[in-house]
Amino acid sequence: MRRTMLIEAEIWTVARTEKGNAVLIKPVGSDRAVPIFIGQLEAQSILFGLAGVPVPRPMTHDLFLSVLEKTNVSVERVEITELKDRTFYSRLLLKHGMKRVTLDARPSDSLGIASRVHCPVFIAETIVDEASVAVNLISENEAQLEPDEPFLEDPGDQANREELEKALEQAVETENYEEAARIRDQLNEL
């Protein structure tokens, strides 16, 4: 059996496309990225982890990490290992003392955890060869993506920033994470 060559990568971004939500995994130093299509809740969780957005109640990935912390287990790395029949496979590599444990996990869950603990992410070179797309194509498409309903017409002045911050706080409190992610993106553009 041939050993799979893994290369270091990063969670580049999460995008909404015509086909759904995709987390884009970009090998370090590469001009290509692998889109992995995921559900809306998983996309929100990864976005919140990447941005460090605090939530009033723990999401599933936060709960999992709390359990690991209480049992003195750390996440060493995430590996996206295989693409078979249009399904991606990944695993979490955990460490408890001197013992290492490997868990099978969906890529969306592995990446949701990685976005919070900032552990290394690796992807199989064969997946990059088979499923990656040029980054410049993704950037052009992303630039065309707009929120369905812009929150404010003119977000440029301080009053609008304050309104957006209040709206973000309200969206998080009511656990409307999709709206919170949109508002966060608008704040980032200011």
Side-chain angles (χ1 to χ4, degrees):
M1 185 161 104
R2 202 174 104 202
R3 183 169 167 85
T4 301
M5 176 68 147
L6 297 172
I7 52 179
E8 190 168 1
E10 63 184 345
I11 303 171
W12 186 50
T13 191
V14 178
R16 188 175 3 176
T17 72
E18 293 174 0
K19 296 179 182 179
N21 298 299
V23 60
L24 296 149
I25 305 303
K26 184 176 167 279
V28 173
S30 176
D31 62 350
R32 303 191 64 78
V34 176
I36 300 175
F37 289 90
I38 59 176
Q40 179 63 38
L41 293 175
E42 292 83 355
Q44 289 173 359
S45 181
I46 292 169
L47 284 170
F48 277 44
L50 290 173
V53 175
V55 291
R57 304 281 302 140
M59 298 177 81
T60 304
H61 299 123
D62 302 311
L63 175 63
F64 181 76
L65 288 170
S66 292
V67 170
L68 291 181
E69 182 182 332
K70 295 288 184 196
T71 58
N72 297 315
V73 176
S74 61
V75 179
E76 282 198 319
R77 67 195 262 175
V78 166
E79 297 178 348
I80 302 167
T81 57
E82 192 175 4
L83 173 59
K84 187 166 67 173
D85 299 325
R86 298 177 56 192
T87 300
F88 289 89
Y89 292 84
S90 76
R91 57 188 175 210
L92 285 169
L93 279 68
L94 308 175
K95 184 176 180 184
H96 183 251
M98 296 302 289
K99 184 177 180 183
R100 287 184 164 70
V101 177
T102 302
L103 296 177
D104 181 38
R106 298 182 313 163
S108 58
D109 290 329
S110 293
L111 296 169
I113 290 165
S115 71
R116 286 163 171 74
V117 299
H118 308 289
C119 68
V121 174
F122 288 83
I123 188 166
E125 193 171 40
T126 55
I127 294 174
V128 176
D129 292 343
E130 183 179 339
S132 67
V133 294
V135 167
N136 63 347
L137 294 177
I138 296 168
S139 297
E140 290 169 14
N141 290 338
E142 279 188 320
Q144 297 171 4
L145 290 176
E146 297 285 330
D148 294 334
E149 298 175 15
F151 186 76
L152 296 171
E153 293 293 321
D154 178 22
D157 64 319
Q158 183 60 31
N160 285 340
R161 174 177 284 285
E162 290 171 7
E163 287 181 46
L164 283 170
E165 288 170 349
K166 287 179 186 174
L168 176 60
E169 187 177 311
Q170 177 64 32
V172 170
E173 284 177 15
T174 60
E175 297 184 11
N176 184 348
Y177 300 122
E178 182 175 356
E179 182 65 16
R182 286 183 191 157
I183 296 167
R184 184 221 49 229
D185 291 344
Q186 288 181 336
L187 280 167
N188 287 340
E189 289 176 11
L190 293 181

